[in-house]
């Protein structure tokens, strides 16, 4: 039986200032966000989750704590391999990014230290292979972020590392609380969406 890694996008956050929050501290879940993760937890209850990971950001830590409360897992860890992107848009109004379709990766406004899509893909894939090796045949829940998960999905689906690959015209960008099941079969990563909250 392959290792099952259930990637959960964190719940919706409190963002009264309507800014791109990125890696800003103290950005926590809203009431709707908590409810979304409770729905995700309900889906995962039958999956025999033995370990939960999250990034070090507040919204994923809160999401992981909500999952843990409902799944009674008692084994939660954090890692920066699955964290949010580092972007020049951090702290700027959402309106600032709309014109470029939130181009964090190819804009001339990028800062020298900002990650590329390839950088993000590599750390996400590195995490998956580490988990597959360490938690063989187990089921793991992992709370991560929108763009890293969309980049992972695009890479696994054979799409090129360009903005159009992670900003689908059909609106299929990963929803808050949505779950992607990732498995490694014959050393190949398989990914599929298995749950989306109603809220």
């Amino acid at each position: 039986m392959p290792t099952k890694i259930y990637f959960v996008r964190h719940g919706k956050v409190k963002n009264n200032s309507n800014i791109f929050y990125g890696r800003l501290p103290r950005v926590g879940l809203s009431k709707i966000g908590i409810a979304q993760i409770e729905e995700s937890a309900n889906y995962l209850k039958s999956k025999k989750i033995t370990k939960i990971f999250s990034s070090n950001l507040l919204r994923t830590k809160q999401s992981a704590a909500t999952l843990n409360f409902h799944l009674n897992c008692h084994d939660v860890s954090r890692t920066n391999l699955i964290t949010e992107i580092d972007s020049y848009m951090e702290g700027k109004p959402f309106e600032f990014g709309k014109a470029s379709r939130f181009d964090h990766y190819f804009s001339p406004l990028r800062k020298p230290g900002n990650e590329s899509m390839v950088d993000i893909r590599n750390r996400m894939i590195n995490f998956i292979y580490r988990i597959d090796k360490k938690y063989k045949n187990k089921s793991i829940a992992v709370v991560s972020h929108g763009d890293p998960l969309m980049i992972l999905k695009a890479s696994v689906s054979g799409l090129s590392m360009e903005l159009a690959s992670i900003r689908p015209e059909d609106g299929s960008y990963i929803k808050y609380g949505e779950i992607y099941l990732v498995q490694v079969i014959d050393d190949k990563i398989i990914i599929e969406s298995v749950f989306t909250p109603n809220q």
Side-chain angles (χ1 to χ4, degrees):
M1 182 181 75
T3 307
K4 294 186 176 181
I5 308 171
Y6 293 92
F7 277 94
V8 185
R9 186 186 179 194
H10 63 81
K12 189 173 183 178
V13 304
K14 295 177 184 175
N15 187 14
N16 296 333
S17 300
N18 202 29
I19 60 172
F20 179 78
Y21 37 86
R23 294 181 178 180
L24 292 175
R26 298 182 295 279
V27 178
L29 296 182
S30 65
K31 288 182 180 179
I32 290 175
I34 294 169
Q36 289 164 334
I37 298 302
E38 286 175 339
E39 285 190 54
S40 303
N42 191 52
Y43 171 83
L44 291 171
K45 276 183 179 177
S46 64
K47 308 305 179 188
K48 298 179 180 178
I49 302 297
T50 59
K51 175 80 176 179
I52 298 172
F53 283 91
S54 78
S55 79
N56 283 296
L57 296 173
L58 180 58
R59 58 192 180 274
T60 53
K61 291 191 291 185
Q62 288 177 332
S63 296
T66 301
L67 289 179
N68 189 41
F69 177 80
H70 291 282
L71 300 178
N72 203 28
C73 183
H74 301 302
D75 193 354
V76 182
S77 296
R78 299 168 190 159
T79 173
N80 283 326
L81 288 175
I82 57 171
T83 199
E84 179 63 286
I85 63 172
D86 182 22
S87 173
Y88 70 93
M89 290 188 195
E90 191 174 279
K92 291 183 169 58
F94 260 90
E95 289 299 320
F96 176 84
K98 280 186 177 178
S100 69
R101 295 176 68 206
F102 295 95
D103 180 6
H104 306 281
Y105 311 103
F106 306 103
S107 169
L109 298 175
R110 277 171 54 84
K111 294 179 181 177
N114 291 163
E115 289 180 297
S116 68
M117 291 178 74
V118 172
D119 293 332
I120 296 164
R121 176 196 68 190
N122 290 347
R123 63 174 165 85
M124 294 291 284
I125 288 176
N126 181 17
F127 174 78
I128 288 168
Y129 282 118
R130 284 189 190 186
I131 294 302
D132 182 58
K133 183 177 181 179
K134 187 171 182 178
Y135 298 95
K136 210 70 182 174
N137 305 323
K138 297 188 182 300
S139 294
I140 312 297
V142 180
V143 187
S144 186
H145 304 266
D147 267 22
L149 288 170
M150 291 302 294
I151 289 169
L152 173 65
K153 182 181 178 184
S155 175
V156 170
S157 301
L159 301 179
S160 57
M161 291 290 94
E162 59 184 46
L163 197 64
S165 298
I166 66 166
R167 304 272 187 268
E169 294 288 349
D170 63 3
S172 59
Y173 190 89
I174 187 168
K175 308 297 188 292
Y176 293 113
E178 186 172 351
I179 301 174
Y180 286 170
L181 170 60
V182 169
Q183 299 176 86
V184 181
I185 300 175
D186 296 328
D187 219 33
K188 180 181 179 183
I189 297 174
I190 308 295
I191 188 169
E192 62 176 323
S193 175
V194 294
F195 177 78
T196 304
N198 290 320
Q199 306 218 31

